[in-house]
Amino acid sequence: MKGKPLVSVVMNCLNCSDFLAASIDSVYCQTYNNWEIIFWDNASCDNGKKIAQSYNSKLIYYCSDKTVPLYEARNFALEKCNGELIAFLDCDDIWINTKLERQVRVYSKSTPLVYSKFQFIDENSKEISAKLPEFGLNKISSQLLINNPISISGVLVDSHLLKNEKFNKVYNLLGDFELWFRLSLSHNFYFLDEVLEFSRQHPNTTSLKNKKNWIKEQRIFYMDLLKSRQVSKKVGIFAIIRYIVKCELLGLLNLVR
């Protein structure tokens, strides 16, 4: 790749104006300057549009005619990307200012997905003490089934990879995890051992508001695992069974809370 590759930063927004400016600002503060923001408004009814359109032309604003499931909206945004590389930033997360520079530097065709450590923060941007997944293991497919170490706001991906492998729009919670797992079966990932993203946890996050729906999507996912000889060969049937047991136990806990 000659020169500085253009990075398309995908931001999908649905009524998430509370932390939006801070997220966008963290892109504009990047030390790496060859980027565009593809901002996909999923038919919001708050003032997110006004906030997004207050920035300059490096932020390209699109608005859906109607609200669609999250990962279908992510695919729509991907179709608008011009970059050789793609990053994602949820509208409540924040990047440190060297995020893109550090990841572009280590990216290569042999490792078309780069991911980094993340740190949880609260509504006031204070760090949350929480057990994080184990980062940096070589067998990433198996690790994903144990405890997902990849935050969608912490990746950098070759755009050609995502032209062939889109998000599965059947998911509204598990879509990025399912895509990383699918890609990991045939591609090497690069782990950058640095915290480059702050992942905000608050009551209005999609994952917390819909926590009782996780098990429904996990069942769709693991039923597909059980049908795939490729997956069984790659990670082993024991890893799949362990994942199923973990999902069902956590699903039961969510139901009784």
Side-chain angles (χ1 to χ4, degrees):
M1 232 178 245
K2 296 180 180 179
K4 283 188 172 183
L6 175 66
V7 179
S8 293
V9 181
V10 173
M11 297 188 73
N12 285 85
C13 182
L14 175 59
N15 299 327
C16 52
S17 61
D18 288 350
F19 307 104
L20 181 56
S23 295
I24 297 174
D25 287 346
S26 76
V27 182
Y28 275 81
C29 288
Q30 289 296 299
T31 55
Y32 186 90
N33 57 20
N34 194 21
W35 53 262
E36 64 176 5
I37 294 177
I38 301 300
F39 190 96
W40 189 271
D41 185 339
N42 199 6
S44 300
C45 56
D46 63 2
N47 65 336
K49 177 180 180 178
K50 182 178 179 181
I51 294 170
Q53 292 188 325
S54 69
Y55 291 83
N56 65 19
S57 59
K58 292 191 76 170
L59 186 152
I60 307 168
Y61 177 87
Y62 297 93
C63 188
S64 177
D65 294 332
K66 62 179 181 179
T67 300
V68 300
L70 173 58
Y71 291 96
E72 184 176 359
R74 291 203 198 281
N75 285 337
F76 287 147
L78 286 174
E79 291 174 4
K80 303 296 184 181
C81 292
N82 303 298
E84 300 164 76
L85 300 171
I86 292 174
F88 298 89
L89 181 59
D90 280 349
C91 292
D92 44 11
D93 296 338
I94 298 173
W95 286 346
I96 73 162
N97 65 352
T98 56
K99 192 265 187 189
L100 291 180
E101 180 181 4
R102 292 290 296 115
Q103 290 189 324
V104 171
R105 190 180 301 167
V106 299
Y107 160 82
S108 72
K109 290 290 186 182
S110 61
T111 52
L113 187 148
V114 178
Y115 75 100
S116 308
K117 286 183 176 179
F118 59 88
Q119 173 64 50
F120 290 124
I121 57 173
D122 64 15
E123 296 169 82
N124 300 308
S125 299
K126 293 183 179 179
E127 293 188 8
I128 299 172
S129 295
K131 185 178 180 181
L132 294 171
E134 189 173 354
F135 296 100
L137 295 185
N138 292 326
K139 295 181 179 180
I140 187 64
S141 299
S142 299
Q143 172 60 18
L144 284 164
L145 294 181
I146 297 170
N147 196 355
N148 180 16
I150 304 177
S151 165
I152 191 168
S153 295
V155 301
L156 184 77
V157 192
D158 189 313
S159 63
H160 295 290
L161 208 58
L162 297 180
K163 291 186 186 303
N164 298 318
E165 300 281 354
K166 298 290 182 64
F167 292 104
N168 187 335
K169 63 184 182 181
V170 72
Y171 296 109
N172 199 47
L173 294 167
L174 209 68
D176 51 307
F177 166 79
E178 189 274 339
L179 178 59
W180 311 149
F181 183 82
R182 192 168 5 115
L183 293 175
S184 74
L185 296 174
S186 53
H187 299 278
N188 294 319
F189 294 1
Y190 187 100
F191 169 63
L192 187 57
D193 192 8
E194 299 178 31
V195 174
L196 298 180
E197 178 241 328
F198 293 102
S199 181
R200 196 183 301 275
Q201 304 296 293
H202 57 91
N204 290 322
T205 58
T206 301
S207 58
L208 289 178
K209 285 195 299 183
N210 298 281
K211 66 179 182 179
K212 291 186 178 181
N213 292 328
W214 276 97
I215 187 59
K216 296 177 184 177
E217 295 196 7
Q218 287 168 329
R219 285 171 178 161
I220 294 171
F221 175 71
Y222 73 60
M223 288 302 295
D224 286 341
L225 294 187
L226 290 170
K227 295 173 187 175
S228 172
R229 290 185 179 181
Q230 181 193 13
V231 174
S232 297
K233 185 176 180 181
K234 182 81 174 182
V235 302
I237 192 65
F238 174 75
I240 297 173
I241 292 171
R242 180 176 55 192
Y243 175 78
I244 293 171
V245 171
K246 181 191 75 171
C247 291
E248 291 298 330
L249 288 174
L250 290 175
L252 182 61
L253 286 174
N254 283 331
L255 284 173
V256 299
R257 281 174 183 169

